[in-house]
Amino acid sequence: DIQMSQSPSALSAAVGDRVTITCRASQGIINYLGWFQQKPGKPPKYLIYGASSLQSGVPSRFKGSGSGTDFTLTISSLQPEDFATYYCQQYHSYPLTFGQGTKVDIK
Amino acid sequence: DVQLLESGGTLLRPGGSLRLSCAASGFTFSSHVMSWVRQAPGKGLEWVSSISDTGDNTFYADSLKGRFTISRDNSKNTLFLQMNSLRAEDTALYYCARNSWLSEKDFDYWGLGTLVTVSS
């Protein structure tokens, strides 16, 4: 099974900050990597697929990068609505697996 | 608009069985792989199972050890999850998710979830 590891587990940031979240796969997954945003009491929202492609309607301040085993989600200028938990997910092969999540809260 | 509406969640005793349903609308259901993903209270996301567009192929998390069965009825645009021999650790919010047309293994739309609580 492919294990996904995110870091950090949590971070505090201010509005306007640049935020970077890292996701590492236990083996190469090419670019079969997605990023989700989840707010309390809501289902996950798909942000990025293929490691770097934005889903329709997702603001351009979200950027994904990486390939192979190391991936990054960057929020260029954090907005109030971005405070949430973020998950990566590999879809290279079954079983499909998620990272443990990164909670972004207000500094 | 894509809509996924889960139902069937409830409180039940360990060892019990339950069938979850997910009614889909707003897209061609029979053209998409569909999945169940769960989230235990205060925890992260865990993929449970996926089923191919025709229903011919199914995939499960290893941890389920044959206790869960995914199925679909394309004539009724409905996805199911039969859950047997339930344990306390199966307590979670169960989401129905549509797999993207492009890769078939990532999840582009999610329902609001249905809560399953297993407790004595």
Side-chain angles (χ1 to χ4, degrees), chain B residues 38 40-41 46 63 67-68 85-92 94 118:
Chain B
R38 68 184 181 183
E46 179 187 18
S63 61
R67 297 185 296 120
F68 290 11
S85 303
L86 283 161
R87 307 166 180 169
E89 53 265 36
D90 295 317
T91 294
Y94 284 75
V118 184

Side-chain angles (χ1 to χ4, degrees), chain B residues 35-100:
Chain B
S35 297
W36 291 96
V37 178
R38 68 184 181 183
Q39 187 168 36
K43 303 297 184 182
L45 301 168
E46 179 187 18
W47 171 73
V48 171
S49 182
S50 296
I51 185 168
S52 64
D53 52 357
T54 61
D56 290 342
N57 296 299
T58 57
F59 307 88
Y60 297 94
D62 296 341
S63 61
L64 298 180
K65 294 183 180 178
R67 297 185 296 120
F68 290 11
T69 302
I70 192 171
S71 62
R72 66 191 296 162
D73 185 340
N74 285 347
S75 69
K76 296 183 179 178
N77 291 347
T78 305
L79 177 71
F80 302 101
L81 185 68
Q82 178 66 42
M83 310 164 67
N84 297 329
S85 303
L86 283 161
R87 307 166 180 169
E89 53 265 36
D90 295 317
T91 294
L93 187 62
Y94 284 75
Y95 292 106
C96 168
R98 188 184 86 165
N99 292 55
S100 76

Side-chain angles (χ1 to χ4, degrees), chain B residues 1-5 23-28 98 109-110:
Chain B
D1 287 2
V2 172
Q3 290 194 26
L4 301 168
L5 183 61
S25 61
F27 66 102
T28 305
R98 188 184 86 165
Y109 285 92
W110 299 61

